[in-house]
């Protein structure tokens, strides 16, 4: 979350009180059309509501978004602007983040619950998410976690492009991958992921600050995971596909419904066979197998 002057953060939030898939999708598209990157939208379910929030350092920018959203006159969806003082925003997210079951095999336990809460039969992932994306609450992460779990035992090496908290790299490691690498262009995220690896006994994961666009390696991986925004996936497509060992897996996520067709058409040029598609809450993810011999 960005810190503004005097530690202030400006939150623009829209509240949906009928959490049907269609409504959430319309709202997400409206935010994206107003210039918000899908990555910046924080979704928080507080039954019976879903809040979609965007955070700014600048009051002016927050006011512009509020004005744009209000101009759309979305019926029954109020737009609010709130000033979060330092203590508010530091605690707000942490308070909302509670232990939960992520997949059949994994649960997420925020670090403050370590030793206090566990889900029998599931592997606990102890997570600090303060400065990085990847709590597992977002559909895009959940889809990827499911793919990594589903393919467990069929990959030995794993590359997590845009690792955020490191959640997918840790799942791969705990699913038996012995050679796990993770990159992120955000230094803060890499710092958080490193600590998460230590607290989850995954210290052998090779992690570094790197921009996927400039990442050079001749190595090929059995599983490449990339939960990025569609535009980045399209730009990085050739490179990402080259990193996958033939016969092995590529999982991509972060594709909003309105860019899904464009994504499918673009990725049709690569030697990939689609094995599984996940779609929910305005987001899509795909699991591919690389075909051919190169
Ligand atoms: C949507 S988050 C995904 C985090 C986590 N892997 C997950 O699935 O929840 C995307 C992450 O990719 C990083 N990222 C974006 N573009 C990147 C690039 N070109 N190279 C490396 N990392 C990138 C961002 O900093 C962010 O941490």
């Amino acid at each position: 979350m960005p810190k503004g002057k005097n530690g202030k953060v400006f939150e623009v939030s829209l509240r949906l009180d009928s959490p049907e898939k269609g409504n959430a999708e319309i709202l997400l598209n409206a935010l994206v059309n107003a210039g918000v990157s899908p990555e910046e939208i924080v979704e928080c379910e507080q039954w019976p509501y879903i809040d979609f929030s965007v955070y700014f350092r600048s009051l002016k920018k927050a006011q512009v978004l509020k004005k744009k959203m209000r101009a759309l006159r979305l019926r029954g969806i109020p737009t609010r602007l709130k000033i979060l003082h330092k203590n508010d925003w530091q605690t707000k997210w942490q308070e909302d983040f509670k232990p939960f079951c992520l997949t059949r095999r994994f649960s997420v336990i925020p670090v403050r619950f370590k030793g206090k809460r566990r889900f029998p039969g599931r592997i606990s992932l102890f997570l600090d998410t303060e400065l990085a994306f990847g709590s597992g609450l977002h559909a895009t992460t959940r889809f990827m976690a499911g793919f990594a779990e589903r393919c467990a035992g069929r990959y030995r090496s794993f590359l997590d492009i845009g690792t955020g908290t490191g959640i997918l790299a840790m799942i791969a490691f705990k699913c038996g991958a012995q050679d796990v690498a993770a990159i992120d262009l955000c230094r803060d995220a890499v710092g958080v992921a490193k600590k998460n690896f230590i607290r989850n006994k995954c210290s052998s994961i090779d992690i570094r600050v790197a921009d996927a666009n400039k990442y050079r390696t001749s190595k090929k991986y059995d599983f490449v995971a990339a939960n990025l925004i569609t535009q980045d996936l399209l730009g990085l497509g050739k490179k990402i596909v080259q990193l996958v060992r033939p016969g092995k897996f590529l999982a991509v996520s972060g594709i909003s419904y309105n860019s899904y067709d464009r994504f499918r058409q673009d990725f049709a040029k690569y030697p990939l066979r689609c094995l599984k598609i996940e779609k929910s809450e305005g987001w899509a993810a795909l699991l591919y197998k690389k075909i051919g011999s190169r």
Side-chain angles (χ1 to χ4, degrees):
M1 198 181 281
K3 264 183 266 186
K5 271 189 199 153
N6 309 321
K8 278 184 195 158
V9 166
F10 303 96
E11 178 192 66
V12 176
S13 64
L14 293 99
R15 172 159 285 189
L16 198 63
D17 61 5
S18 50
E20 291 141 23
K21 269 187 199 166
N23 290 346
E25 198 188 327
I26 290 168
L27 196 49
L28 283 167
N29 284 339
L31 282 166
V32 171
N33 290 334
V36 180
S37 147
E39 264 188 340
E40 293 166 345
I41 305 169
V42 178
E43 199 176 319
C44 179
E45 263 195 73
Q46 313 198 57
W47 180 258
Y49 305 113
I50 304 184
D51 287 334
F52 294 87
S53 306
V54 185
Y55 297 89
F56 297 89
R57 295 169 206 263
S58 139
L59 175 61
K60 219 169 174 183
K61 285 188 181 163
Q63 282 168 331
V64 169
L65 180 64
K66 181 181 147 193
K67 207 166 163 192
K68 280 187 185 168
M69 298 313 289
R70 287 213 167 151
L72 294 176
R73 298 183 189 284
L74 297 168
R75 220 177 333 138
I77 305 179
T79 306
R80 291 196 185 87
L81 196 164
K82 197 171 155 193
I83 301 172
L84 302 177
H85 294 277
K86 195 173 177 196
N87 289 344
D88 293 339
W89 64 257
Q90 270 179 341
T91 51
K92 183 179 188 294
W93 162 239
Q94 297 296 335
E95 279 167 14
D96 290 344
F97 187 34
K98 307 247 165 70
F100 66 96
C101 294
L102 174 66
T103 62
R104 279 173 49 198
R105 284 175 68 181
F106 290 93
S107 63
V108 170
I109 312 289
V111 278
R112 70 197 160 94
F113 288 93
K114 193 171 178 188
K116 296 183 194 151
R117 183 77 206 271
R118 62 185 294 273
F119 293 93
R122 281 189 167 85
I123 300 170
S124 299
L125 295 171
F126 301 106
L127 280 193
D128 167 17
T129 62
E130 213 178 313
L131 294 167
F133 185 101
S135 64
L137 286 167
H138 202 267
T140 59
T141 309
R142 207 172 58 238
F143 297 151
M144 295 294 265
F147 290 156
E149 180 176 298
R150 178 191 173 95
C151 297
R154 291 188 278 162
Y155 54 89
R156 194 187 161 280
S157 57
F158 186 98
L159 174 64
D160 185 8
I161 300 176
T163 194
T165 56
I167 186 168
L168 302 178
M170 290 192 288
I171 288 173
F173 184 82
K174 290 189 183 277
C175 280
Q178 287 154 29
D179 173 9
V180 182
I183 62 166
D184 202 296
L185 51 69
C186 170
R187 197 166 288 280
D188 283 342
V190 168
V192 169
K194 270 185 185 163
K195 287 189 191 150
N196 284 332
F197 293 163
I198 293 168
R199 56 172 66 96
N200 287 283
K201 301 189 170 49
C202 298
S203 308
S204 64
I205 295 174
D206 173 13
I207 175 148
R208 57 191 71 187
V209 178
D211 178 344
N213 289 291
K214 298 176 191 150
Y215 189 63
R216 304 257 172 275
T217 175
S218 54
K219 197 167 164 176
K220 293 200 186 290
Y221 291 84
D222 296 339
F223 197 122
V224 174
N227 180 7
L228 303 169
I229 56 172
T230 313
Q231 213 175 324
D232 288 344
L233 289 172
L234 295 176
L236 284 164
K238 187 173 173 201
K239 183 159 213 173
I240 294 177
V241 174
Q242 269 172 359
L243 288 165
V244 185
R245 193 187 303 282
K248 294 297 185 177
F249 307 100
L250 169 66
V252 287
S253 187
I255 303 150
S256 60
Y257 283 178
N258 59 354
S259 37
Y260 178 76
D261 288 343
R262 189 159 56 101
F263 176 85
R264 290 299 309 262
Q265 276 160 20
D266 189 85
F267 262 56
K269 64 184 179 233
Y270 299 120
L272 298 170
R273 183 157 63 82
C274 184
L275 300 179
K276 182 136 181 81
I277 301 166
E278 293 281 7
K279 277 182 162 183
S280 166
E281 298 160 45
W283 297 100
L286 297 102
L287 176 66
Y288 290 106
K289 183 177 224 180
K290 186 166 175 182
I291 50 180
S293 56
R294 295 183 349 148

